[in-house]
Amino acid sequence: MKKIYLPLLTIGLTMLISCGKTKKEVVNTETAISVKVSGVAADNNPNFVSASGKIEAENSANVSTRMMGYVTKVNVKVGQKVSAGQLLVSINNTDLQAKKAQVDASILQATAAYNNAKKDFDRFTALFNQQSASQKELDDMTSRYEMAKAGLEGAKQMRNEVMAQFSYSNITAPFSGEVTNTFVKEGDMANPGMPLVSIEGASHLQVTATVSESDITSIQNGMSVKVLVKSSNQELTGKVIEVSGSAKNTGGQYLVKINLNNNTTKVLSGMFVNVQFPLVSKKQTTTNSATAQVVVPESALIHQGQLTGIYTIGNKDIAILRWLRIGKTYGNQVEVLSGLSANEQYILSAEGKLYNGAKVKID
């Protein structure tokens, strides 16, 4: 029995000794990540409000027709520059040609009747002055002459109506610009009111921005604004030209239009922008530090799906990921509504990959 238990006892003692040695040899070799921190900027009175917008052409139109017919030719392509009056789309007008021929024949008939009536009127007028025709005969000739004259005028107006219809079979550009879309091709049936070609006057661009009801009272016509193009980080300047006084049809947002002042050769219609409106009337609103606005750089934020957070410094120089609820955007600054206190330090940048609980070293 002793021979059986002695090896087991020896093995157990060996394991205990080995475990004890392992625990003593464990050393935390994690290196601290160098980071830069900054205090939160608290500002009760920001010097501007920000709103999202979109660049649009000042002149834009979806050209359509009033008549029904087959499209015989599309004379332009997307991206093509066009001038005012240039032919865009041709629509079959065989029926208009027939009507024009009928009207022309009516004009010839009315002209012949008018000339005959005028001769009779002049003859009976002379006879009446010579007392060779009665008043009744002159009145009859006068009525005949006026009816012939009205008939000729009516035929001419019918011709004007037909000629006006030809302008809807030959669609021309209403202004100089660029073709942005074509909605039909040769052989398609054009219907009244159906858009055929879309044109924008690319030489004059403006911005349409949506502003919340809390900020619309600070915006005035004529004020200068900054426009930041999101895709290229280009900064433009502009001037407010229209401020909507109602949000009935815009989902609670007020529309503001801005004319761009800068050379916009690298800016295209449809680009999204961020507009900064300077504040001139929000002063001395509050001095309570509890209501101080917390603003952080957008580059310091961490995005994970729908969540937004920021790394702060915890006890023993540990990085702690704090989830935030963000508000308005002021250029490259973002307002923090909750999750971060005023003057609380947060990590601006790191020389390594941060994670929750990582050891950090403040530079």
Side-chain angles (χ1 to χ4, degrees), residues 103-170:
V103 171
D104 289 341
S106 298
I107 291 177
L108 291 176
Q109 183 179 0
T111 301
Y114 170 77
N115 291 334
N116 189 27
K118 189 174 186 305
K119 290 179 181 178
D120 290 340
F121 172 74
D122 293 338
R123 184 182 305 111
F124 272 84
T125 300
L127 292 174
F128 178 78
N129 292 333
Q130 298 173 4
Q131 296 183 355
S132 298
S134 65
Q135 183 67 45
K136 177 68 168 57
E137 291 174 328
L138 179 61
D139 292 342
D140 291 341
M141 289 300 105
T142 302
S143 298
R144 181 184 171 190
Y145 168 71
E146 294 294 339
M147 290 175 62
K149 183 178 179 182
L152 177 60
E153 183 64 23
K156 290 181 178 179
Q157 293 302 325
M158 289 178 62
R159 188 178 189 277
N160 291 337
E161 180 182 359
V162 172
M163 296 305 297
Q165 293 294 326
F166 276 96
S167 63
Y168 297 104
S169 64
N170 296 314

Side-chain angles (χ1 to χ4, degrees), residues 335-352:
E335 178 187 12
V336 177
L337 301 178
S338 63
L340 196 66
S341 303
N343 301 321
E344 185 178 0
Q345 284 189 329
Y346 59 91
I347 297 177
L348 280 173
S349 61
E351 296 182 0

Side-chain angles (χ1 to χ4, degrees), residues 77-305:
K77 297 181 180 179
V78 175
Q80 180 178 338
K81 302 288 185 180
V82 296
S83 57
Q86 181 175 338
L87 182 62
L88 304 177
V89 179
S90 298
I91 300 175
N92 184 279
N93 56 5
T94 305
D95 54 342
L96 288 180
Q97 295 287 354
K99 289 183 180 180
K100 181 177 178 296
Q102 293 176 3
V103 171
D104 289 341
S106 298
I107 291 177
L108 291 176
Q109 183 179 0
T111 301
Y114 170 77
N115 291 334
N116 189 27
K118 189 174 186 305
K119 290 179 181 178
D120 290 340
F121 172 74
D122 293 338
R123 184 182 305 111
F124 272 84
T125 300
L127 292 174
F128 178 78
N129 292 333
Q130 298 173 4
Q131 296 183 355
S132 298
S134 65
Q135 183 67 45
K136 177 68 168 57
E137 291 174 328
L138 179 61
D139 292 342
D140 291 341
M141 289 300 105
T142 302
S143 298
R144 181 184 171 190
Y145 168 71
E146 294 294 339
M147 290 175 62
K149 183 178 179 182
L152 177 60
E153 183 64 23
K156 290 181 178 179
Q157 293 302 325
M158 289 178 62
R159 188 178 189 277
N160 291 337
E161 180 182 359
V162 172
M163 296 305 297
Q165 293 294 326
F166 276 96
S167 63
Y168 297 104
S169 64
N170 296 314
I171 309 301
T172 59
F175 49 81
S176 299
E178 181 179 338
V179 178
T180 58
N181 200 356
T182 57
F183 303 99
V184 294
K185 58 183 180 295
E186 294 182 11
D188 287 347
M189 175 66 74
N191 294 309
M194 168 184 168
L196 304 175
V197 177
S198 177
I199 300 179
E200 290 187 354
S203 58
H204 297 87
L205 297 177
Q206 63 183 16
V207 173
T208 300
T210 54
V211 182
S212 64
E213 60 180 82
S214 59
D215 298 326
I216 190 63
T217 55
S218 303
I219 300 174
Q220 301 173 357
N221 270 328
M223 70 188 312
S224 298
V225 299
K226 289 183 179 180
V227 179
L228 305 177
V229 183
K230 295 183 179 180
S231 60
S232 61
N233 292 326
Q234 185 178 0
E235 182 175 314
L236 309 174
T237 59
K239 182 177 291 186
V240 177
I241 58 171
E242 290 183 20
V243 180
S244 174
S246 173
K248 180 179 179 181
N249 299 319
T250 53
Q253 299 289 314
Y254 293 83
L255 295 181
V256 178
K257 290 188 177 181
I258 300 103
N259 258 352
L260 296 177
N261 301 330
N262 301 61
N263 184 5
T264 56
T265 54
K266 297 182 179 180
V267 178
L268 301 176
S269 176
M271 288 184 172
F272 291 95
V273 297
N274 187 276
V275 184
Q276 296 179 357
F277 299 94
L279 295 183
V280 294
S281 60
K282 288 188 175 181
K283 293 183 179 180
Q284 299 178 352
T285 56
T286 179
T287 57
N288 188 354
S289 60
T291 61
Q293 185 183 43
V294 179
V295 180
V296 300
E298 189 175 5
S299 58
L301 297 177
I302 305 298
H303 300 281
Q304 293 185 9

